[in-house]
mmCIF file of all heavy atoms in Angstrom:
data_model
loop_
_atom_site.group_PDB
_atom_site.id
_atom_site.type_symbol
_atom_site.label_atom_id
_atom_site.label_comp_id
_atom_site.label_asym_id
_atom_site.label_seq_id
_atom_site.Cartn_x
_atom_site.Cartn_y
_atom_site.Cartn_z
ATOM 1 N N GLU A 11 10.306 27.829 -14.645
ATOM 2 C CA GLU A 11 10.637 28.464 -13.372
ATOM 3 C C GLU A 11 10.625 27.424 -12.263
ATOM 4 O O GLU A 11 9.715 26.587 -12.213
ATOM 5 C CB GLU A 11 9.630 29.575 -13.042
ATOM 6 C CG GLU A 11 9.618 30.723 -14.045
ATOM 7 C CD GLU A 11 8.571 31.775 -13.688
ATOM 8 O OE1 GLU A 11 7.827 31.551 -12.701
ATOM 9 O OE2 GLU A 11 8.499 32.794 -14.400
ATOM 10 N N PRO A 12 11.630 27.449 -11.364
ATOM 11 C CA PRO A 12 11.620 26.503 -10.239
ATOM 12 C C PRO A 12 10.551 26.913 -9.227
ATOM 13 O O PRO A 12 10.245 28.099 -9.069
ATOM 14 C CB PRO A 12 13.020 26.635 -9.646
ATOM 15 C CG PRO A 12 13.450 28.025 -10.018
ATOM 16 C CD PRO A 12 12.817 28.328 -11.347
ATOM 17 N N ARG A 13 9.981 25.929 -8.559
ATOM 18 C CA ARG A 13 9.033 26.186 -7.485
ATOM 19 C C ARG A 13 9.601 25.576 -6.208
ATOM 20 O O ARG A 13 9.865 24.394 -6.142
ATOM 21 C CB ARG A 13 7.677 25.569 -7.806
ATOM 22 C CG ARG A 13 6.607 25.925 -6.785
ATOM 23 C CD ARG A 13 5.255 25.374 -7.194
ATOM 24 N NE ARG A 13 4.235 25.717 -6.231
ATOM 25 C CZ ARG A 13 2.988 25.279 -6.263
ATOM 26 N NH1 ARG A 13 2.604 24.469 -7.245
ATOM 27 N NH2 ARG A 13 2.118 25.638 -5.344
ATOM 28 N N GLY A 14 9.793 26.403 -5.201
ATOM 29 C CA GLY A 14 10.441 25.930 -3.988
ATOM 30 C C GLY A 14 11.931 26.142 -4.094
ATOM 31 O O GLY A 14 12.407 27.149 -4.615
ATOM 32 N N ARG A 51 7.944 17.489 -10.236
ATOM 33 C CA ARG A 51 6.517 17.759 -10.427
ATOM 34 C C ARG A 51 6.414 19.039 -11.234
ATOM 35 O O ARG A 51 6.930 20.081 -10.828
ATOM 36 C CB ARG A 51 5.775 17.914 -9.114
ATOM 37 C CG ARG A 51 4.297 18.301 -9.310
ATOM 38 C CD ARG A 51 3.596 18.547 -7.999
ATOM 39 N NE ARG A 51 3.463 17.309 -7.251
ATOM 40 C CZ ARG A 51 3.284 17.255 -5.935
ATOM 41 N NH1 ARG A 51 3.277 18.375 -5.231
ATOM 42 N NH2 ARG A 51 3.133 16.088 -5.333
ATOM 43 N N ILE A 52 5.728 18.960 -12.378
ATOM 44 C CA ILE A 52 5.605 20.104 -13.280
ATOM 45 C C ILE A 52 4.160 20.577 -13.285
ATOM 46 O O ILE A 52 3.244 19.783 -13.512
ATOM 47 C CB ILE A 52 6.062 19.728 -14.699
ATOM 48 C CG1 ILE A 52 7.509 19.220 -14.672
ATOM 49 C CG2 ILE A 52 5.932 20.918 -15.644
ATOM 50 C CD1 ILE A 52 8.008 18.709 -16.012
ATOM 51 N N THR A 53 3.964 21.844 -13.006
ATOM 52 C CA THR A 53 2.617 22.423 -12.988
ATOM 53 C C THR A 53 2.554 23.629 -13.912
ATOM 54 O O THR A 53 3.578 24.274 -14.198
ATOM 55 C CB THR A 53 2.219 22.859 -11.569
ATOM 56 O OG1 THR A 53 3.211 23.769 -11.049
ATOM 57 C CG2 THR A 53 2.122 21.671 -10.631
ATOM 58 N N LYS A 54 1.366 23.929 -14.377
ATOM 59 C CA LYS A 54 1.155 25.092 -15.241
ATOM 60 C C LYS A 54 1.142 26.356 -14.397
ATOM 61 O O LYS A 54 0.491 26.404 -13.351
ATOM 62 C CB LYS A 54 -0.165 24.933 -15.987
ATOM 63 C CG LYS A 54 -0.163 23.780 -16.993
ATOM 64 C CD LYS A 54 -1.567 23.374 -17.394
ATOM 65 C CE LYS A 54 -2.337 24.545 -17.992
ATOM 66 N NZ LYS A 54 -3.691 24.116 -18.444
ATOM 67 N N GLY A 55 1.835 27.365 -14.870
ATOM 68 C CA GLY A 55 1.858 28.627 -14.138
ATOM 69 C C GLY A 55 0.513 29.322 -14.112
ATOM 70 O O GLY A 55 0.219 30.099 -13.200
ATOM 71 N N SER A 56 -0.335 29.033 -15.084
ATOM 72 C CA SER A 56 -1.622 29.742 -15.194
ATOM 73 C C SER A 56 -2.606 29.334 -14.109
ATOM 74 O O SER A 56 -3.295 30.179 -13.532
ATOM 75 C CB SER A 56 -2.241 29.475 -16.570
ATOM 76 O OG SER A 56 -2.385 28.074 -16.787
ATOM 77 N N ASP A 57 -2.690 28.043 -13.815
ATOM 78 C CA ASP A 57 -3.689 27.597 -12.832
ATOM 79 C C ASP A 57 -3.140 26.596 -11.816
ATOM 80 O O ASP A 57 -3.906 26.037 -11.030
ATOM 81 C CB ASP A 57 -4.894 26.975 -13.546
ATOM 82 C CG ASP A 57 -4.498 25.792 -14.437
ATOM 83 O OD1 ASP A 57 -3.317 25.355 -14.381
ATOM 84 O OD2 ASP A 57 -5.366 25.302 -15.176
ATOM 85 N N ARG A 58 -1.831 26.356 -11.828
ATOM 86 C CA ARG A 58 -1.172 25.445 -10.897
ATOM 87 C C ARG A 58 -1.601 23.981 -11.053
ATOM 88 O O ARG A 58 -1.331 23.157 -10.191
ATOM 89 C CB ARG A 58 -1.405 25.886 -9.438
ATOM 90 C CG ARG A 58 -0.878 27.270 -9.093
ATOM 91 C CD ARG A 58 0.640 27.283 -9.109
ATOM 92 N NE ARG A 58 1.170 28.598 -8.821
ATOM 93 C CZ ARG A 58 1.455 29.050 -7.589
ATOM 94 N NH1 ARG A 58 1.236 28.268 -6.562
ATOM 95 N NH2 ARG A 58 1.958 30.259 -7.426
ATOM 96 N N SER A 59 -2.292 23.639 -12.132
ATOM 97 C CA SER A 59 -2.663 22.241 -12.361
ATOM 98 C C SER A 59 -1.437 21.457 -12.819
ATOM 99 O O SER A 59 -0.522 21.992 -13.450
ATOM 100 C CB SER A 59 -3.772 22.139 -13.401
ATOM 101 O OG SER A 59 -3.342 22.642 -14.657
ATOM 102 N N VAL A 60 -1.411 20.167 -12.486
ATOM 103 C CA VAL A 60 -0.254 19.328 -12.795
ATOM 104 C C VAL A 60 -0.244 18.962 -14.270
ATOM 105 O O VAL A 60 -1.264 18.571 -14.838
ATOM 106 C CB VAL A 60 -0.276 18.049 -11.934
ATOM 107 C CG1 VAL A 60 0.867 17.115 -12.330
ATOM 108 C CG2 VAL A 60 -0.190 18.398 -10.457
ATOM 109 N N VAL A 61 0.915 19.095 -14.893
ATOM 110 C CA VAL A 61 1.105 18.604 -16.257
ATOM 111 C C VAL A 61 1.314 17.100 -16.163
ATOM 112 O O VAL A 61 2.233 16.648 -15.475
ATOM 113 C CB VAL A 61 2.319 19.271 -16.925
ATOM 114 C CG1 VAL A 61 2.552 18.696 -18.318
ATOM 115 C CG2 VAL A 61 2.137 20.781 -16.990
ATOM 116 N N VAL A 79 4.159 29.459 -19.015
ATOM 117 C CA VAL A 79 5.070 29.249 -17.886
ATOM 118 C C VAL A 79 4.758 27.904 -17.229
ATOM 119 O O VAL A 79 3.586 27.575 -16.987
ATOM 120 C CB VAL A 79 4.934 30.372 -16.849
ATOM 121 C CG1 VAL A 79 5.812 30.089 -15.620
ATOM 122 C CG2 VAL A 79 5.308 31.718 -17.471
ATOM 123 N N VAL A 80 5.799 27.118 -16.971
ATOM 124 C CA VAL A 80 5.649 25.893 -16.184
ATOM 125 C C VAL A 80 6.545 25.994 -14.953
ATOM 126 O O VAL A 80 7.663 26.507 -15.022
ATOM 127 C CB VAL A 80 6.012 24.628 -17.003
ATOM 128 C CG1 VAL A 80 5.015 24.404 -18.114
ATOM 129 C CG2 VAL A 80 7.427 24.694 -17.553
ATOM 130 N N HIS A 81 6.011 25.549 -13.816
ATOM 131 C CA HIS A 81 6.767 25.520 -12.573
ATOM 132 C C HIS A 81 7.272 24.101 -12.319
ATOM 133 O O HIS A 81 6.511 23.136 -12.478
ATOM 134 C CB HIS A 81 5.895 25.980 -11.404
ATOM 135 C CG HIS A 81 5.507 27.415 -11.493
ATOM 136 N ND1 HIS A 81 4.370 27.928 -10.891
ATOM 137 C CD2 HIS A 81 6.097 28.467 -12.122
ATOM 138 C CE1 HIS A 81 4.286 29.221 -11.139
ATOM 139 N NE2 HIS A 81 5.321 29.568 -11.889
ATOM 140 N N VAL A 82 8.515 23.990 -11.908
ATOM 141 C CA VAL A 82 9.136 22.689 -11.680
ATOM 142 C C VAL A 82 9.535 22.582 -10.217
ATOM 143 O O VAL A 82 10.298 23.407 -9.708
ATOM 144 C CB VAL A 82 10.371 22.487 -12.580
ATOM 145 C CG1 VAL A 82 10.952 21.089 -12.368
ATOM 146 C CG2 VAL A 82 10.000 22.698 -14.041
#
Side-chain angles (χ1 to χ4, degrees):
E11 297 178 356
R13 186 176 180 186
R51 176 184 292 158
I52 302 175
T53 55
K54 293 162 58 177
S56 56
D57 58 8
R58 300 291 178 90
S59 62
V60 175
V61 177
V79 176
V80 293
H81 293 155
V82 183

